[in-house]
Structures are given as C-alpha cells and as structure tokens.
Amino acid sequence: MVIVPFVDRSLREGRAGLPRDRLPAASEVFAGLPRALPDDGGLRESVRAMRAADGLLLGALDDDPTGSQAVHGAQVVTVPEEDAYQAAFAAAPVCFVLANTRSLAEPAAVQRTMQAAGGLIAVAGRRGARIQLVSRSDSTLRGHVMAEVAALQAARQQALGSGFDGVLLVPAFLEAGRLTAADIHRARTGGDLIPVGQTEFANDPAFGYTASDLKDFISQKSGGTIDRGEVASISLADIRLGGPSRVRDLLAGAQNGAWVIVNATEYSDLETVACGVLLAERAGRSFLFRTGPSFVRALAGLAPMAPLRGQQIWPGARRGGHGLIVVGSHVSQTSRQVAALRARRVTH
C-alpha cells in the first residue's frame, strides 16, 4: 500500500532520525498543524445520511466494559449470542458487545472475538445488511492488539470469503485528552501532553509498551513482522486540507489488511475520516477499526451529549437504596479517581 500524505516539510524533516526518547515536543507538533474543520454538525449529518441510505450496521467488540462511554442511543449486549445481537439491532443500528477480552489470556480472547464477530456478521446477513466491525480497545493501546485484529480478519474470511483491505488504528480518546498528531499518540497529564510511551499506562504489567509513535507501536506489537515503513497514515493535513475525498482516495490503496494510522485532535477530524471511510466502502473497499471510544461515536454519526445527571437518572424524588461501584485497573490513576470519589461522598 502506498499513501503519499500532505506533509509539513519542516515538521517531517525535524523528526527524521529522532530516537524514540527524543520525540518532538507537543508545542512543535501542534504549531505546524492546519486549522481544524468546523464542528458544526455537517460532517455528522453526512455520516448519518450515508449510513441510513446504505442500511449500515455497526458492531463494536469491547475488550472491557467502558467502551460505550462516548456514545448514546446504542445497544449493549453482555452475552455472545446471536439472538441478543438480533434484538439489539432491531432497536438500534449500533451494538456494543462486551467481550471483556482484556481479562482473558490470548487464546481465550481470540476464541471469544471470533465467536462474537461471526455472530454479528451472521445476524447482519440475515437482515440483508452490511456491518462494520470495530475492535474497541483501551485508548492507551493496551490489550490483545494484534491477536484480536487477526481474529476479526479470520472471522470475516470464514464468513464472507475475504478479509479486510485495511485496518485503521484510531486510539484518540478526545474526552480524556488523548490525541494523535504526526503519528504520535499523547495523553494530557496535568497541563502537558505527554507521549503515551512515557506515561504510567505504558507500564501496564500485562499490556505494556514503549512506543509513542504509532508506526513504531505496530511494529513493536507485531514482534517485528511489520516494519514501520509498511504502516501508512492519514495526517491531519490530509484530513483538514483534503477533507473526506482525500481520505477516500488514500484508503483506496489499502490492501491485504494494511495498517493505517489515523491522526486526530478534534471530533471534526474523526468525522472527516468517517465520511472518507464510508465513501471508500461505497467504492468496494473494506475496513476493520481498532479504536478508542471516540471514533465509534464519529463512525456512527452521533452528536455529542452531556453526561447524565441525577435528575435525569431519577426523575422526581431521589430514589432510596444503595448503588454498587466496581473498580479494576492495572494503573494507579484508578486508585486516585476512587480516592477523589470517596472524598466527595455526601452522607444523608
């Protein structure tokens, strides 16, 4: 696959040959970016219109229970059963399957992924619809990345006779301050944007990594079987200067399951890519998506929605009784969040 992106020459030349621990500062990267497209709803309307016209379904296989936090109006299924998928798609065109594969050893994760994907494809087939599959993973790149992508390729090959032409890696989680620019994924920590390979998430004892440059990340996770030079990317210049048609044209060259990095710092970036994906699929291409939470919202064409508040959850008088909060994580940020929650507890 050959992709020739729009390039900020000074930025690319400045990065050439830099070792991983000398990545350019966020200020250097962001200073050279074109202005983002307006987030006025027009891109979302285009996505929704194309999805409706094509009768398109979306199935998101979630590797832990948090992936649906950025969407609304979607169905969430907790069992890998086709009847459950059928009922979910009868209610909405977007279905999350809580596969919870991050809690499993790799062989079991692969088996569960293939089972869920096969069921989703079968249900879509019975409905006479086309379905997009999203491997929704933790936004900081943890999980069975390569194994689950390979499992989804195998499931499509088994069900439809061919795999996906391209795999789009879209880890941006905008709500949590996780952005991708110049192929480097960063996390907002305090007031700074830190390359994710330098954060506590990269030290996950089960799914750790060292690379912040996503081309290096894919090469690393593949065990060196994929060279960084084989990984394509859609730059922010491509997205913001070329729009959906540029994205479509770039994706037209995807073949044999090639990996494609998607850069994004705004929802309009993600929605532009979603439009380009739909245009490329209309031309016969097929794509698999390994993403954080935000791209699912963009690909579904969903508008933003504020978090629910108490009056929306419990209209009228406050409901009595108790709730249960279950917490599990490999990183200390979760412990800090729980401490903050407990400190804010109000006793009546």
Side-chain angles (χ1 to χ4, degrees):
M1 176 182 184
V2 178
I3 284 184
V4 181
F6 289 123
V7 174
D8 181 318
R9 183 176 298 277
S10 63
L11 177 60
R12 289 301 189 194
E13 290 180 350
R15 285 189 59 207
L18 285 177
R20 284 182 194 162
D21 61 351
R22 292 183 54 208
L23 293 170
S27 57
E28 176 189 349
V29 172
F30 284 79
L33 295 179
R35 180 176 297 180
L37 296 173
D39 187 6
D40 57 8
L43 290 165
R44 286 191 294 274
E45 290 177 9
S46 294
V47 170
R48 286 197 297 271
M50 282 191 280
R51 298 191 72 88
D54 296 348
L56 187 57
L57 303 177
L58 193 157
L61 289 80
D62 206 341
D63 76 350
D64 76 2
T66 63
S68 58
Q69 61 192 303
V71 303
H72 56 87
Q75 294 291 298
V76 179
V77 174
T78 59
V79 291
E81 298 175 1
E82 292 186 19
D83 287 348
Y85 306 154
Q86 180 69 38
F89 284 129
V94 179
C95 171
F96 275 78
V97 179
L98 297 190
N100 205 28
T101 50
R102 195 140 48 103
S103 69
L104 302 176
E106 187 171 289
V110 167
Q111 181 180 15
R112 185 173 294 180
T113 297
M114 288 194 67
Q115 179 186 11
L120 288 167
I121 293 170
V123 168
R126 289 197 292 271
R127 294 176 63 88
R130 185 165 61 85
I131 187 169
Q132 294 171 312
L133 294 181
V134 176
S135 177
R136 204 304 303 182
S137 179
D138 188 272
S139 60
T140 48
L141 310 176
R142 295 171 290 168
H144 301 286
V145 179
M146 308 308 291
E148 290 185 15
V149 165
L152 289 169
Q153 287 278 22
R156 190 180 195 273
Q157 178 74 43
Q158 190 176 85
L160 302 178
S162 63
F164 295 94
D165 293 315
V167 181
L168 275 62
L169 178 62
V170 199
F173 183 8
L174 305 183
E175 293 83 352
R178 306 207 182 129
L179 317 173
T180 310
D183 299 336
I184 302 167
H185 194 51
R186 299 177 188 266
R188 192 173 300 283
T189 303
D192 299 321
L193 278 169
I194 308 299
V196 289
Q198 300 171 19
T199 66
E200 64 179 305
F201 302 102
N203 296 322
D204 186 315
F207 299 111
Y209 55 91
T210 61
S212 305
D213 185 309
L214 295 181
K215 291 186 176 182
D216 287 333
F217 172 83
I218 291 173
S219 181
Q220 182 185 88
K221 286 296 182 182
S222 75
T225 61
I226 301 174
D227 185 84
R228 63 165 285 126
E230 300 174 55
V231 182
S233 67
I234 300 174
S235 72
L236 287 168
D238 290 318
I239 293 166
R240 296 176 180 183
L241 300 179
S245 61
R246 173 65 175 171
V247 174
R248 175 201 60 203
D249 293 345
L250 293 173
L251 292 176
Q255 58 184 344
N256 300 322
W259 284 83
V260 183
I261 306 302
V262 172
N263 289 275
T265 70
E266 309 286 341
Y267 258 104
S268 62
D269 298 326
L270 296 177
E271 289 164 350
T272 300
V273 172
C275 283
V277 163
L278 294 174
L279 291 172
E281 288 183 337
R282 282 183 165 185
R285 313 308 291 166
S286 61
F287 304 101
L288 172 62
F289 310 93
R290 179 79 177 186
T291 85
S294 299
F295 189 65
V296 184
R297 192 192 107 183
L299 190 59
L302 297 174
M305 181 176 179
L308 295 176
R309 300 300 180 187
Q311 289 300 314
Q312 295 167 289
I313 299 172
W314 292 317
R318 183 179 179 84
R319 181 177 297 181
H322 302 278
L324 174 67
I325 297 175
V326 180
V327 180
S329 179
H330 288 283
V331 296
S332 60
Q333 175 172 292
T334 302
S335 299
R336 297 193 298 270
Q337 290 171 331
V338 172
L341 179 64
R342 295 182 69 181
R344 293 174 59 183
R345 182 177 60 187
V346 178
T347 303
H348 293 282

